[in-house]
Amino acid sequence: METDAHGQAAALTLRLLGPLRLGRDGAPVTLPRSRKARALLAYLALAGRPISRSHLTELLWDVPSDPRGELRWCLSKLRSVLDTPGRARVLAEGDNVALDLSDCSVDVHEVARLLQDGVAGLPPSQLEMLSAAFGDGEFLEGLDVPGSPAFTGWLTAERRRLRARHATVLEHWVRALPLASENALPALERWLALAPFDRQAHERLLDTLAALGRLREGEEHLAATARRYEAEGQDWGPISHVWRAAKERRTGGVAIASSIIAVAPDVQPSQAVTRRASLAILPFVDRTPGGTLRGGLGDGMANDVITRLAKLRSMFVIAEGTMLALAERQVGSEDAGRRLDVDYVASGSLRRGPGTRLTVAVQLAETRSGQVVWAEEFSGALADTFAVLDEIGNRIVTGIANQVEAAERNRAILKNPHSLNAWEAHHRGLWHMMRFNREDNEQARQFFQTAVRLDPTFARPRAGLSFTHFQDAFLGWRERRDAIEHAYAAAADGVMADEHDPAAHWALGRAMWLKDSQDDALRELHAAIELSPNFALGHYTLGFVHAQSGDAQTAIEEADHARALSPMDPLLFGMLASRALALLRLGRHEEAADWAVRSAARPNAHVHIRAIAMLCLASAGRTREAKELMAAVRQADPGYGLASFAQAFKLGPDLDTLVRQATRRLQD
């Protein structure tokens, strides 16, 4: 940790973990006595980029008489300890200030570099080294700056972030050690000091104490934990059940009486249920100068996101009341995730700027890895407050849902197929399903069948199973009539399993469309959207149905809405192609061709999508491009023709006429 990014001995070292320390050639350097000068050094070092003078004065000076003068004085103090003859490290160019620490060792940056790819693949020795690098003290310990609320807020946030990173390192190090390892106990104690309400840390400590035969210490820890949890109004019952099981394993199933009494709540461990990704949404922080601390726009937006995500039924979402209670106690997002033992935590902030413009920043973090898996910033004009909040809320909900689904799919594909639970088997099936080829479709079906077998009440894999049969019928991979019946049966079973799951109604709507029951199909698709207004696939499929034989303008609106909700969706090719068909019916042939070409260019576009592009190009008079695409279609499927296309789709009279005209142009 004492080397620079190139592995060379670093002449200058800066330590931000623990008390702020500066060293040159191994000898300590005396820092300025001014707290603000030292705070400025730490802030610029951690930023690693130029910062405007106005931002720095707002950060450290609460309306002084001459903030820029005080900033210049602090920078002069930093030059006296950082700059050397021929080497200026404090750089001031125009309105910006930066530190050149490119050849220096800064402990926080070194730790971040080692953690940039996560901790899962690091060996125990490196995890131990990382934990030692964090030390036992706080980030910038003792460097609080009274009278500088902006700096205090930044310092608090960074301390929370780094505590969470340290806890993540400790957790993975402990799990890499044997259960009965004495070396694990100090790490466990440090883990709990950083995250005192992390249930998994308590459970691991109790398991370790039981494995070491230190049962009295386990009883004492459980009693202390019970008191702490009760003081916070939290349930410690699951921890007591873990301790009871650990003792029974140690004693061969014989219960041992103890003089230390900790009476757990009168509950039993819950029955095994299908695991769903769990998520907590913290109230959004209003960073508008003079903004409301609680009960304002930030709380309202978080409540809206919680309500909408809960409707998706694909995630377990912590209720608003709990999140507000944690916010009142000023619990940060990292600590909240561990207290609630959820997989993901979403947090955000908003700011109302000049010109009545609202900017909302959101990030989604994985609790156990500490990794930020998604971050985005949204903005809109507040001329119509409810409209812009609705639009931003839609985008936040869809972004979070899509990222959680993607993370869960990626996690599932890394597991041994024989060790998957129903939730994991479902997501493994989704991963294969979105490949859109015959072999992956078959593998997806097998994983969905496994999920249904493991949990017959789980509706989502039944919807996925229906989708694989839909693909068989739509793309001609199996006998059409049987595939349609299987698609319908699986979707109907999904609705029976959970009539409030939008995906189940979506699957049933698609199956009804296959059965030529368009009115019933539209009814089910509308039911899916009513259950979850942000369900992008529901909007897309409405556009898909309307594009062929319904209202063409509605098809365009629904396809556009689906793309807005899920701009990187695996089914984006279908959204684009549906829009192209609708434009073709409206006589806007050149536009239709452009959109269809975009759909065919998607990496997972199947043969029907390329056929749509071919027909739209021919309708627009772009015959050469159309024939080139026709050759590609024939190469992919030598027997493909108008009959194949007409059988797959439900073409209304106007679209059928257009398709036949385009086909004749291709034959000329």
Side-chain angles (χ1 to χ4, degrees):
M1 305 297 288
E2 295 292 332
T3 60
D4 63 19
H6 306 288
Q8 303 298 317
L12 199 65
T13 59
L14 183 62
R15 296 291 167 260
L16 306 177
L17 296 166
L20 181 67
R21 290 159 291 163
L22 181 66
R24 180 177 284 110
D25 296 324
V29 174
T30 302
L31 290 168
R33 295 185 61 184
S34 164
R35 283 178 173 267
K36 291 186 178 179
R38 284 180 281 149
L40 180 62
L41 168 62
Y43 187 83
L44 289 171
L46 192 63
R49 58 183 174 81
I51 304 294
S52 70
R53 291 175 185 268
S54 57
H55 178 78
L56 294 173
T57 54
E58 289 175 6
L59 180 78
L60 288 166
W61 285 276
D62 188 16
V63 197
S65 57
D66 182 13
R68 297 230 168 191
E70 294 194 29
L71 175 60
R72 286 193 298 271
W73 181 86
C74 286
L75 290 173
S76 70
K77 293 296 181 184
L78 295 186
R79 287 190 177 94
S80 69
V81 296
L82 292 174
D83 290 358
T84 54
R87 180 63 185 274
R89 296 189 183 276
V90 180
L91 308 178
E93 297 182 5
D95 189 51
N96 292 327
V97 178
L99 296 183
D100 177 8
L101 301 177
S102 56
D103 60 344
C104 303
S105 171
V106 182
D107 56 357
V108 173
H109 292 324
E110 293 293 316
V111 167
R113 181 176 59 82
L114 291 171
L115 290 176
Q116 64 185 357
D117 295 324
V119 295
L122 297 179
S125 59
Q126 197 160 16
L127 291 168
E128 182 178 8
M129 181 184 66
L130 271 169
S131 178
F134 277 102
D136 295 326
E138 283 275 25
F139 170 70
L140 298 180
E141 187 172 324
L143 193 55
D144 302 287
V145 181
S148 299
F151 179 80
T152 299
W154 171 81
L155 183 61
T156 300
E158 288 301 321
R159 284 175 175 170
R160 286 174 174 169
R161 182 179 68 85
L162 290 164
R163 277 200 299 267
R165 298 295 180 274
H166 192 183
T168 297
V169 169
L170 288 165
E171 177 178 356
H172 282 76
W173 180 30
V174 165
R175 295 192 188 284
L177 295 172
L179 184 62
S181 170
E182 288 277 1
N183 294 334
L185 288 176
L188 278 162
E189 290 169 357
R190 182 61 182 147
W191 177 6
L192 280 167
L194 293 167
F197 294 97
D198 189 333
R199 195 181 77 192
Q200 293 192 27
H202 288 288
E203 292 174 354
R204 182 74 182 194
L205 176 61
L206 292 171
D207 273 337
T208 301
L209 290 173
L212 292 169
R214 296 161 67 166
L215 300 184
R216 183 174 182 83
E217 290 178 54
E219 293 285 352
E220 291 171 346
H221 179 79
L222 179 63
T225 300
R227 290 192 296 270
R228 172 173 274 181
Y229 269 60
E230 286 177 352
E232 288 284 314
Q234 294 188 220
D235 178 19
W236 58 277
I239 300 174
S240 73
H241 293 303
V242 168
W243 175 236
R244 186 181 308 161
K247 285 194 299 183
E248 289 178 357
R249 285 194 299 272
R250 173 69 184 180
T251 60
V254 178
I256 295 179
S258 172
S259 59
I260 300 174
I261 305 298
V263 181
D266 188 19
V267 295
Q268 295 299 318
S270 59
Q271 298 286 329
V273 295
T274 298
R275 177 192 173 276
R276 288 185 290 166
S278 50
L279 174 69
I281 312 287
L282 281 173
F284 287 34
V285 178
D286 191 343
R287 300 199 185 282
T288 307
T292 306
L293 292 178
R294 289 271 68 87
L297 196 57
D299 286 359
M301 179 161 282
N303 175 54
D304 183 52
V305 171
I306 289 170
T307 302
R308 296 190 199 200
L309 282 170
K311 288 181 178 180
L312 289 177
R313 300 177 71 79
S314 59
M315 286 176 281
F316 179 84
V317 184
I318 300 295
E320 180 194 20
T322 292
M323 302 316 300
L324 287 175
L326 290 176
E328 287 292 335
R329 298 174 192 177
Q330 298 185 330
V331 173
S333 60
E334 299 88 353
D335 189 14
R338 290 179 176 273
R339 285 185 184 224
L340 298 169
D341 198 20
V342 293
D343 299 313
Y344 303 92
V345 178
S347 58
S349 62
L350 58 89
R351 179 184 292 269
R352 281 162 288 191
T356 65
R357 190 159 190 83
L358 177 70
T359 301
V360 181
V362 188
Q363 75 170 23
L364 180 71
E366 207 170 31
T367 300
R368 294 292 158 186
S369 72
Q371 296 286 92
V372 174
V373 297
W374 176 70
E376 191 62 83
E377 187 172 282
F378 306 96
S379 63
L382 271 173
D384 186 341
T385 303
F386 291 108
V388 72
L389 290 179
D390 191 53
E391 178 188 350
I392 292 176
N394 283 344
R395 294 164 67 190
I396 291 171
V397 168
T398 306
I400 290 174
N402 287 348
Q403 291 300 323
V404 169
E405 287 285 329
E408 292 294 302
R409 285 199 301 269
N410 292 338
R411 181 184 298 176
I413 63 175
L414 297 176
K415 293 196 69 174
N416 186 317
H418 301 294
S419 66
L420 300 174
N421 60 29
W423 172 260
E424 292 162 338
H426 165 62
H427 279 85
R428 187 73 168 263
L430 288 178
W431 188 87
H432 285 286
M433 185 181 85
M434 294 304 180
R435 306 276 78 77
F436 298 102
N437 63 70
R438 188 169 187 170
E439 293 74 18
D440 276 297
N441 196 61
E442 183 59 38
Q443 287 185 279
R445 179 164 31 247
Q446 293 172 13
F447 281 113
F448 290 137
Q449 288 170 339
T450 297
V452 170
R453 176 175 52 79
L454 291 171
D455 185 355
T457 67
F458 190 14
R460 283 285 163 121
R462 295 184 185 275
L465 192 58
S466 176
F467 189 96
T468 65
H469 293 301
F470 178 96
Q471 293 288 82
D472 284 340
F474 186 62
L475 291 166
W477 290 338
R478 291 195 175 197
E479 200 281 319
R480 182 176 174 82
R481 186 180 299 276
D482 285 348
I484 290 173
E485 290 305 319
H486 281 107
Y488 176 77
D493 286 344
V495 174
M496 291 293 290
D498 187 351
E499 64 178 347
H500 297 294
D501 192 320
H505 288 276
W506 169 70
L508 186 57
R510 288 170 67 88
M512 297 300 292
W513 178 81
L514 280 175
K515 292 170 72 70
D516 294 319
S517 299
Q518 179 157 313
D519 289 343
D520 291 332
L522 292 173
R523 185 183 65 249
E524 292 299 329
L525 294 172
H526 281 293
I529 291 172
E530 287 172 8
L531 286 166
S532 177
N534 301 287
F535 187 47
L537 293 182
H539 288 284
Y540 152 59
T541 309
L542 272 176
F544 172 80
V545 173
H546 277 291
Q548 298 165 58
S549 57
D551 185 292
Q553 190 58 46
T554 297
I556 292 172
E557 292 169 1
E558 291 293 346
D560 286 349
H561 191 48
R563 288 190 302 116
L565 288 170
S566 188
M568 298 179 67
D569 201 282
L571 277 164
L572 183 59
F573 63 82
M575 300 173 188
L576 298 171
S578 296
R579 196 183 204 283
L581 286 178
L583 288 167
L584 188 65
R585 291 176 58 204
L586 292 172
R588 295 155 63 179
H589 294 180
E590 191 63 40
E591 289 180 70
D594 289 340
W595 285 93
V597 168
R598 287 178 59 185
S599 70
R602 299 296 301 172
N604 51 358
H606 51 64
V607 65
H608 292 324
I609 299 299
R610 283 176 279 174
I612 289 173
M614 174 186 73
L615 294 166
C616 288
L617 284 166
S619 298
R622 294 160 62 175
T623 310
R624 182 184 58 79
E625 294 174 74
K627 287 186 176 181
E628 289 174 356
L629 202 48
M630 181 172 68
V633 169
R634 292 272 171 81
Q635 184 176 7
D637 186 350
Y640 194 89
L642 179 60
S644 307
F645 187 84
Q647 184 182 53
F649 293 92
K650 314 292 182 187
L651 305 179
D654 57 343
L655 187 55
D656 182 69
T657 299
L658 289 166
V659 166
R660 292 184 183 279
Q661 289 172 351
T663 303
R664 286 194 293 271
R665 289 194 184 98
L666 289 170
Q667 293 170 347
D668 291 343

